[in-house]
Amino acid sequence: MGFLDNLLFGYYPYIAGTVFLAGSLVRFDMSQYTWKTSSSQILDNTPRFRLGSNLFHIGLLFLFLGHLVGLLMPHSWYPYFNLTAESKQILAMVSGGFFGLLAAAGGAILIRRRLTNLRVRAQSSRMDIAILLILYAQLWLGLLTIPFSAAHLDGSMMLVLGDWAQRIVTFRPGAAELIAPVPWVYKAHLFLGLTVFLVFPFTRLVHIWSAPVWYLGRRYQIVRKRLA
């Protein structure tokens, strides 16, 4: 195992996770009125935008939940769901490929709109554009793993990735050693996924944490101070 593998897949997950949690908490406490989607729907609400937004969000939501369950489910639970490592990998490839393509199609519509619609572009920050491009690149990296997974349908790669994730979240040693021999596309996918968590508190993605009840306790917004 090289130094880079140890840094990126042994230490970087904890750096990204700490920034993700602590940064979100600090932003909510210190800057509550930036805690929003900053939706540009009012600037452009065409049927194409609604289609792209729906495809992108539905695809990403399924992929996030699928990765969460797929990586963190203990291997000993597979029989309770009538699964084997092989069938679980095929299920992940088929469902992940389908929803990944949905999200990629929606993302292409949203990126084009964000970059070419002058009103939307003027309202967008650099981070708005950057996070959309990062998520889009992450989608395609995930889709690129499918041919690699198809080359070995025994489920061994899924077991390795699951073991890595479970060692990370349970603070067990040896996580980076598991990742060292896997193909580059999996490493790139993991690294960019961790980077999304790292930049999360500095983007509009923080609204994912929110439910309507959170807004009831926000501070009043000072629009204009009364002159003495």
Side-chain angles (χ1 to χ4, degrees), residues 80-151:
Y80 296 107
F81 296 92
N82 251 352
L83 291 173
T84 63
E86 296 89 340
S87 62
K88 185 170 179 288
Q89 178 165 313
I90 294 173
L91 176 63
M93 289 167 56
V94 173
S95 59
F98 175 74
F99 284 97
L101 288 173
L102 284 187
I109 295 172
L110 296 184
I111 289 172
R112 182 178 183 277
R113 170 180 176 270
R114 181 73 59 180
L115 296 179
T116 62
N117 186 301
L118 296 181
R119 297 176 69 195
V120 175
R121 179 68 181 268
Q123 188 264 346
S124 303
S125 68
R126 291 180 181 178
M127 184 56 79
D128 291 338
I129 297 172
I131 192 61
L132 187 56
L133 293 175
I134 290 172
L135 289 173
Y136 195 66
Q138 177 69 341
L139 280 170
W140 279 107
L141 277 174
L143 290 170
L144 282 175
T145 65
I146 294 176
F148 286 83
S149 298

Side-chain angles (χ1 to χ4, degrees), residues 8 28 52 95 172 207 216:
L8 297 183
F28 182 76
S95 59
R172 285 183 289 153
H207 76 276
L216 299 178

Side-chain angles (χ1 to χ4, degrees), residues 209-227:
W209 285 114
S210 298
V213 68
W214 287 104
Y215 290 94
L216 299 178
R218 292 197 308 176
R219 302 184 183 96
Y220 289 108
Q221 184 178 16
I222 298 177
V223 179
R224 183 177 60 184
K225 291 184 178 181
R226 178 180 296 177
L227 297 177

Side-chain angles (χ1 to χ4, degrees), residues 152-175:
H152 42 78
L153 294 176
D154 59 354
S156 58
M157 189 58 63
M158 178 168 292
L159 294 176
V160 168
L161 297 174
D163 281 337
W164 171 81
Q166 290 165 36
R167 284 173 184 256
I168 289 294
V169 299
T170 56
F171 301 97
R172 285 183 289 153

Side-chain angles (χ1 to χ4, degrees), residues 179-190:
I179 291 298
V182 306
W184 68 268
V185 67
Y186 294 103
K187 292 182 178 182
H189 190 50
L190 287 175

